[in-house]
Amino acid sequence: MEAIGGTAKDRGKNIFVLGLLCSMFRLDKKKLVGIIEAQFGKKGEDILRNCLNAFDAGFAFQTTDLRQFQFAPGEAGHSKRLSTDGNTMLGLGLIAAGVRYGAGYPITPWSSIMELLRRELPKYGGVFMQAEDELAAVAIALGAAYAGHLAVTGSSGPGLSLKSETLGYASMAELPLLVINVQRGGPSTGLPTSVEQSDLLQAIYGSHGDSPRIVLAPKNVEDCFYIALEAAQLARRCSCPVIILSDQALATRIEAFPEPNLEEHWIEPELDLSDRGEEFKPYPIEGQTRHAPPGTPMHEGTFPKVTGLEHNEMGHPSGNPENHQMMNDKRRNKLVKLAADLPLPDVYREEDGEILLLGWGSSYGPVREACDRLRDKGLCASATHLRHLHPLPQQMGELMKKYEHVFVVELSDSGLYGNGQLATILRAAYCNPAIQSICKTDGLAFRVREIVEGVDQFLA
Amino acid sequence: MSDNKTAQPAEKLTKKQLKADHPTWCPACGDFAVLASFFNVIQKLELTQTDFVCVAGIGCSSRIPYFVNSHGIHFIHGRAVPLATGISLSRPDQHVFVFGGDGDGFSIGGNHLNHAARKNINLTYIIMDNFVYGLTKNQTSPTTPIGRRSKTDPNGSVDRPINPMMQLLGSGATFIGRSHATHVKHMNEIFERAINHNGFSVVEVLSECTMFYPGAFDAAIPRKGGEFNLIDEEVHDTACINDAFELAQLEFPGKFGVFYQDDRPSKNDLEQKWIDEVQGNLGDISQQDLMRKSFATMH
């Protein structure tokens, strides 16, 4: 930069690279110059001149040893397209899902969701509160849930650990709650700005006692929006916590996709204080728990209690052995019933039964591309992607049985017994020896090559 | 909301309507009187069961939601205040009452107490302080005096106890009262004033654990030779925090009454003000169109 009259301190390095990229990818030079003029023109002539010089220098830089790319001009489809990151779509998805209350505590890479909700929710008549710690954040959100709203809290791995006690309570008390976990490299403070999918077991099992909850994971930025809507529906249906496992790669990655149709994808928030009828029980053994929030009038004037002690159908503490067994069955069986209604994930490429690549979360793209490469090499490969991690779709075992090899591709450690976290669960659930792991924990997203090599190594 | 089928009380609730399970407390526990006083105040203020909610964490005193026939939630240890915060902020139509002991409030939940107080969340928190862990059978609590023997301090407690009034004044609570479970009329008065306060109102009630720390508060019971000294509000200015700090430093058993009251706006008021302002600026726009506006910035 100094060679063209600027100093290292001045703006210029990024603009130089922009010029270089413009020539490499044969981008519209006029348009880019226009953007630079609009952006830097108001900051003074000197700065603008410096920028344009840097841009030209980059554009004219010798690139003989670099590949040149040519893009075909895009065509505008019917719907408008958005380009943004996963955290933004998750935050907006929550609002579209009817969430108006929540609380959180800052932690990378979750913070930008709470910033969005804090800024946006007042426009929708809601409140998002910055709590003093993770324990308070989940408790505040659960308070709003008890009060009859759909509420959200969120964090990253270390914060989810702190919220665990209250998650167990929400399972026991059968309160709906949305919990976002934007995963990062762990354990402990770990790698706060790197990607990992190693909170799966924590999300499914993290608490004390048996505390069933639902765990979902979006597959790309667009899906962050729709998974929030689905999570809201499931939380209402099952009256239990629903954890959405996003990850650092999805949180910060920018993708382009069609704008969601809000007429179709919108849940109106509802506070139901209507009369629950004479037979109302907060914890019916045979039925689904539907709490009556504070303010709801009660027949016979007997008001319900919500509690973390084991309780009978009326919410009264009960240490009765049969009752505890029945209530544990009740809390588990609602998820068993849900599993029967969950659709199987789509299978990419033909289902002709040799190799199945199975991924979850942000590895959607590389897994599919790896599948294509394996096909190119003459291997009979298919790919699928799980969005419902707990419970698993009921037919999942049948789907995997069709394949000689199932490679579970995940960013978690292969553990003491050679299986990543999802593979461990799938093996335990289906006792299928075809299930193998392709794991890594280097803090980086999967490269296509790494997945292909994982398959090659196993088959060699 | 009610029809002729629902048995909603039309007027003042009777004690019978307010009572739920019989308390599981030990005979002569101070908490019985606190509960009775709470019923008195609910009756006097003519609140009905759809007007209020009882919230508690873990401890003997935290069992109260089971003993009050209203909506109630029994939560985990130390987090009753943030749970109540979520209810209070999202349901302005409800009076939110939090009940708990010294362990729940000053130890495991101490940080939440500080922050809910400074944020001035609109709720009423009644802390039944017995200077001991009773539910777990006689361990040292954050208010146990130095030298007092317990199962975790067999040679006597060595750690300086919390001074609840100093703690609460420092944290920024906007209504701070202190009472004693053997003086029901005094509790009635302080509870009523606490409930009528807009913002974070907290009352410490010395409530004797007859099982593990009998006689702890005799020094404030006249018939046992003690003195029950009231704060004279003709002299003490409840708006003056320096005076309140002075009162808080009196030797035990100190004085009883309202130490401090401040009418700064509650968090609930401030959040609602923000909502009103931002919605006023937006004008008449549907929520879906509002989100479409957000989408438009990403095209």
Side-chain angles (χ1 to χ4, degrees):
Chain A
M1 290 313 306
E2 283 163 25
I4 57 163
T7 65
K9 220 179 151 191
D10 285 338
R11 280 182 186 79
K13 275 185 288 185
N14 291 342
I15 301 289
F16 178 89
V17 175
L18 186 65
L20 180 62
L21 290 172
C22 178
S23 99
M24 261 177 79
F25 290 96
R26 306 206 183 152
L27 302 176
D28 185 343
K29 190 180 174 196
K30 239 180 171 177
K31 193 173 174 183
L32 282 172
V33 168
I35 292 171
I36 292 169
E37 282 170 350
Q39 191 69 29
F40 294 99
K42 56 197 167 197
K43 298 193 176 181
E45 265 181 49
D46 284 357
I47 290 175
L48 177 62
R49 197 181 319 117
N50 205 14
C51 280
L52 291 175
N53 283 342
F55 183 80
D56 287 338
F59 188 79
F61 194 74
Q62 283 295 332
T63 57
T64 45
D65 53 343
L66 282 175
R67 245 174 95 184
Q68 298 253 331
F69 300 86
Q70 178 71 59
F71 292 112
E75 274 179 48
H78 287 297
S79 64
K80 287 179 180 163
R81 289 174 76 78
L82 306 183
S83 67
T84 190
D85 61 74
N87 270 6
T88 302
M89 284 321 278
L90 201 42
L92 293 175
L94 290 166
I95 298 173
V99 173
R100 294 292 179 273
Y101 295 95
Y105 185 80
I107 180 170
T108 302
W110 137 264
S111 303
S112 65
I113 298 179
M114 76 177 275
E115 289 156 12
L116 181 147
L117 292 171
R118 176 77 184 146
R119 184 183 73 234
E120 293 297 319
L121 275 181
K123 299 178 187 169
Y124 298 83
V127 178
F128 192 92
M129 190 168 159
Q130 178 171 340
E132 58 271 24
D133 57 33
E134 299 281 3
L135 300 89
V138 64
I140 291 166
L142 197 69
Y146 167 67
H149 308 283
L150 192 60
V152 68
T153 185
S155 192
S156 186
L160 189 70
S161 299
L162 288 166
K163 294 178 196 292
S164 297
E165 186 188 6
T166 296
L167 283 181
Y169 178 92
S171 289
M172 177 58 120
E174 299 195 58
L175 284 165
L177 182 69
L178 301 184
V179 183
I180 313 295
N181 178 8
V182 186
Q183 300 168 95
R184 63 189 212 184
S188 189
T189 312
L191 296 90
T193 55
S194 298
V195 63
E196 214 165 275
Q197 299 176 318
S198 48
D199 291 346
L200 179 64
L201 292 179
Q202 173 176 227
I204 297 175
Y205 298 115
S207 198
H208 46 281
D210 295 303
S211 55
R213 77 287 298 268
I214 296 167
V215 182
L216 308 175
K219 63 183 182 190
N220 55 26
V221 171
E222 179 182 20
D223 197 29
C224 286
F225 184 84
Y226 298 106
I227 207 110
L229 280 123
E230 187 174 355
Q233 284 158 346
L234 296 184
R236 287 281 198 205
R237 167 178 163 169
C238 297
S239 206
C240 73
V242 179
I243 298 176
I244 298 177
L245 282 180
S246 181
D247 60 47
Q248 185 272 344
L250 274 179
T252 52
R253 168 198 299 172
I254 291 175
E255 287 178 10
F257 50 90
E259 178 177 314
N261 178 358
L262 294 181
E263 270 163 35
E264 215 177 300
H265 302 285
W266 186 266
I267 301 173
E268 210 53 54
E270 183 195 7
L271 177 62
D272 181 9
L273 303 180
S274 66
D275 197 315
R276 301 301 202 261
E278 279 175 45
E279 301 297 309
F280 177 77
K281 292 172 180 169
Y283 298 103
I285 290 278
E286 295 301 331
Q288 177 58 58
T289 286
R290 296 264 173 274
H291 284 294
T296 310
M298 284 293 139
H299 283 264
E300 311 298 323
T302 304
F303 285 78
K305 301 291 179 267
V306 170
T307 172
L309 280 167
E310 186 56 287
H311 41 264
N312 63 20
E313 291 185 295
M314 291 307 294
H316 280 274
S318 165
N320 177 300
E322 282 172 15
N323 179 72
H324 180 45
Q325 185 63 60
M326 281 194 299
M327 283 294 177
N328 259 337
D329 294 345
K330 166 180 165 35
R331 291 185 287 267
R332 178 211 325 121
N333 282 335
K334 61 186 177 184
L335 298 196
V336 174
K337 278 185 200 149
L338 173 64
D341 295 343
L342 293 176
L344 273 177
D346 294 337
V347 173
Y348 178 66
R349 308 290 295 240
E350 301 83 75
E351 285 188 42
D352 43 9
E354 275 185 31
I355 294 168
L356 179 69
L357 298 179
L358 194 159
W360 71 279
S362 62
S363 59
Y364 181 67
V367 167
R368 286 195 159 206
E369 211 173 318
C371 178
D372 291 339
R373 287 224 197 140
L374 291 171
R375 287 262 168 186
D376 291 346
K377 291 170 67 157
L379 290 166
C380 191
S382 313
T384 193
H385 211 73
L386 272 174
R387 295 169 77 248
H388 303 99
L389 295 163
H390 191 77
L392 292 160
Q394 200 186 46
Q395 298 299 313
M396 201 56 209
E398 300 301 315
L399 173 70
M400 288 189 293
K401 264 190 198 163
K402 294 179 188 169
Y403 296 87
E404 281 172 46
H405 305 287
V406 177
F407 292 97
V408 182
V409 181
E410 53 183 325
L411 295 169
S412 71
D413 188 56
S414 56
L416 298 187
Y417 311 109
N419 299 297
Q421 297 191 3
L422 180 57
T424 298
I425 287 172
L426 292 171
R427 286 189 141 230
Y430 304 113
C431 301
N432 180 347
I435 297 169
Q436 301 295 334
S437 266
I438 297 178
C439 288
K440 68 160 195 171
T441 53
D442 60 1
L444 302 171
F446 266 110
R447 287 159 188 268
V448 176
R449 170 167 49 82
E450 290 169 333
I451 301 171
V452 173
E453 281 171 5
V455 173
D456 286 345
Q457 270 169 23
F458 185 82
L459 295 180
Chain B
M1 200 172 281
S2 62
D3 55 44
N4 52 9
K5 275 186 190 166
T6 50
Q8 291 308 306
E11 286 168 18
K12 219 160 128 170
L13 291 172
T14 62
K15 281 262 159 63
K16 203 179 159 196
Q17 284 172 311
L18 271 170
K19 281 184 182 170
D21 298 1
H22 184 75
T24 42
W25 298 317
C26 306
C29 174
D31 295 351
F32 280 103
V34 178
L35 180 62
S37 175
F38 177 67
F39 286 156
N40 289 340
V41 177
I42 293 293
Q43 284 181 305
K44 184 169 180 213
L45 296 175
E46 299 188 7
L47 296 178
T48 72
Q49 289 136 320
T50 49
D51 296 333
F52 70 94
V53 52
C54 296
V55 181
I58 297 296
C60 290
S61 51
S62 296
R63 298 286 289 217
I64 276 191
Y66 297 114
F67 313 146
V68 181
N69 185 27
S70 72
H71 284 284
I73 179 164
H74 185 213
F75 194 42
I76 58 173
H77 200 17
R79 321 291 166 217
V81 167
L83 187 96
T85 299
I87 303 171
S88 174
L89 281 174
S90 68
R91 289 293 300 279
D93 59 312
Q94 293 289 306
H95 283 269
V96 181
F97 296 106
V98 186
F99 299 92
D102 39 317
D104 203 58
F106 296 123
S107 195
I108 189 168
N111 196 37
H112 306 311
L113 177 56
N114 286 335
H115 288 275
R118 85 177 164 86
K119 289 178 178 175
N120 202 20
I121 309 292
N122 190 23
L123 56 83
T124 297
Y125 185 15
I126 295 172
I127 302 176
M128 283 152 265
D129 190 353
N130 59 9
F131 288 11
V132 68
Y133 279 82
L135 187 70
T136 48
K137 300 180 180 165
N138 198 10
Q139 294 86 13
T140 298
S141 99
T143 48
T144 302
I146 289 176
R148 198 254 164 186
R149 289 168 196 263
S150 76
K151 282 184 190 158
T152 46
D153 273 315
N155 298 323
S157 173
V158 293
D159 302 315
R160 196 183 85 151
I162 279 170
N163 176 329
M165 291 297 108
M166 293 283 280
Q167 179 101 348
L168 292 165
L169 286 163
S171 68
T174 54
F175 180 100
I176 303 169
R178 184 165 183 256
S179 191
H180 192 298
T182 60
H183 301 270
V184 174
K185 274 188 187 158
H186 187 257
M187 273 194 291
N188 291 348
E189 183 206 322
I190 303 297
F191 288 173
E192 186 181 339
R193 288 173 67 182
I195 294 168
N196 284 328
H197 174 77
N198 177 40
F200 190 85
S201 55
V202 53
V203 183
E204 181 209 16
V205 181
L206 300 181
S207 176
E208 185 178 310
C209 176
T210 50
M211 184 60 70
F212 297 113
Y213 202 166
F217 308 128
D218 283 359
I221 305 175
R223 69 186 158 79
K224 292 189 174 169
E227 276 182 52
F228 188 61
N229 289 318
L230 295 179
I231 293 168
D232 181 357
E233 289 186 33
E234 300 279 308
V235 180
H236 170 67
D237 178 5
T238 56
C240 177
I241 199 156
N242 289 339
D243 289 3
F245 270 117
E246 256 180 52
L247 269 184
Q249 290 171 76
L250 293 175
E251 201 179 326
F252 187 81
K255 290 200 174 183
F256 297 87
V258 176
F259 278 59
Y260 183 68
Q261 186 163 14
D262 174 10
D263 60 0
R264 72 184 151 92
S266 67
K267 170 101 173 153
N268 308 54
D269 298 334
L270 296 171
E271 294 290 333
Q272 191 56 49
K273 194 176 157 214
W274 184 18
I275 291 171
D276 292 342
E277 276 172 12
V278 74
Q279 289 192 330
N281 291 338
L282 285 166
D284 198 15
I285 179 170
S286 79
Q287 297 206 337
Q288 287 186 18
D289 281 343
L290 199 53
M291 188 164 289
R292 288 189 188 103
K293 269 177 80 173
S294 295
F295 286 157
T297 64
M298 305 166 197
H299 284 149

